[in-house]
Amino acid sequence: MELAYYSDYAVRLVNTEEPARSTDTLTSAEAVRALFGDMTQMSRRVTDADVTRFRAVRGRLRAVFASADAGDHARAVDLLNSLLLEFPVSPQISGHDLLDDEGRPRWHLHLAEHPSNATAGYAAIAAMGLAFHLTEFGADRLGLCQAPPCRNAYLDTSTNRSRRYCSDRCATRANVAAYRARKRLESAGTGRTGSEASQPSTASGER
């Protein structure tokens, strides 16, 4: 499993909450388990106590994205470093579950965590994945959706660093809103021009 894969765990957790909409889907142990995806062994450790702990980690990860999105890359790094110190991992070479056409292991780096609870395990791989993405591609590749009221986190993988939205749906919504705003301005401008043209002109001798 490539290290970049783990960065999605950070995005997945951050986006369980939409502050501007006052929505939060991280409300139960089952919702926490769903975040682990195919990591069933780790998800079995989840208890009700992890709901509160996951929310705390979520807030810290969102702060990393918010700082990077605002251009404060040094703060984003500091915040991420604090998570890495609190939730360490041990990189290990693995290949037992991936074989090539000749039955030989496809060796790859795997993040082995030794957590005291499910939150520590998830936070460790999410922080490490995000750190790998940041150092490999740059802090400006971490962003928050620019389509109000959505502020979902995303990882910019575009070739020209142009991504501004978390999804195609938000991009379409923002483009439609911008188009309608331009049309309103054009209509308002046309209305003013027509109104001014309809006013009677003042004779040069009149004061």
Side-chain angles (χ1 to χ4, degrees):
M1 185 181 294
E2 296 181 1
L3 294 183
Y5 170 86
Y6 291 104
S7 59
D8 186 59
Y9 280 76
V11 175
R12 195 182 305 173
L13 176 54
V14 170
N15 291 347
T16 59
E17 180 186 32
E18 294 188 70
R21 291 189 173 109
S22 298
T23 61
D24 187 347
T25 61
L26 199 59
T27 57
S28 66
E30 191 58 36
V32 172
R33 291 188 189 97
L35 290 171
F36 283 96
D38 57 2
M39 290 182 157
T40 54
Q41 184 175 354
M42 290 180 64
S43 66
R44 293 193 191 101
R45 305 172 187 165
V46 174
T47 67
D48 289 338
D50 284 300
V51 176
T52 300
R53 291 194 287 254
F54 260 68
R55 285 178 172 176
V57 172
R58 178 180 64 189
R60 294 171 67 182
L61 286 171
R62 176 172 282 277
V64 174
F65 278 92
S67 296
D69 187 68
D72 193 347
H73 297 169
R75 176 167 172 74
V77 169
D78 287 343
L79 293 171
L80 191 49
N81 273 336
S82 70
L83 284 164
L84 292 170
L85 286 172
E86 187 173 343
F87 304 107
V89 294
S90 303
Q92 293 182 354
I93 298 174
S94 178
H96 58 84
D97 54 345
L98 292 173
L99 302 178
D100 62 19
D101 294 337
E102 298 182 11
R104 295 173 301 191
R106 292 180 179 175
W107 302 115
H108 59 277
L109 278 177
H110 176 78
L111 298 184
E113 27 68 43
H114 310 285
S116 56
N117 54 62
T119 303
Y122 193 99
I125 61 175
M128 188 63 195
L130 198 57
F132 176 82
H133 195 94
L134 186 150
T135 54
E136 184 73 7
F137 304 109
D140 58 342
R141 292 286 191 163
L142 279 58
L144 293 175
C145 187
Q146 299 300 304
C150 180
R151 293 292 282 167
N152 275 350
Y154 64 83
L155 298 169
D156 185 359
T157 56
S158 64
T159 56
N160 56 357
R161 300 174 183 264
S162 61
R163 185 170 178 178
R164 297 176 56 214
Y165 308 106
C166 68
S167 64
D168 289 341
R169 181 170 62 94
C170 276
T172 300
R173 184 162 54 83
N175 289 335
V176 169
Y179 172 79
R180 289 175 177 171
R182 287 196 302 271
K183 285 299 183 182
R184 285 195 296 270
L185 285 174
E186 290 172 4
S187 297
T190 302
R192 284 195 298 272
T193 302
S195 175
E196 291 168 357
S198 65
Q199 294 296 321
S201 60
T202 302
S204 60
E206 295 178 357
R207 296 288 186 268

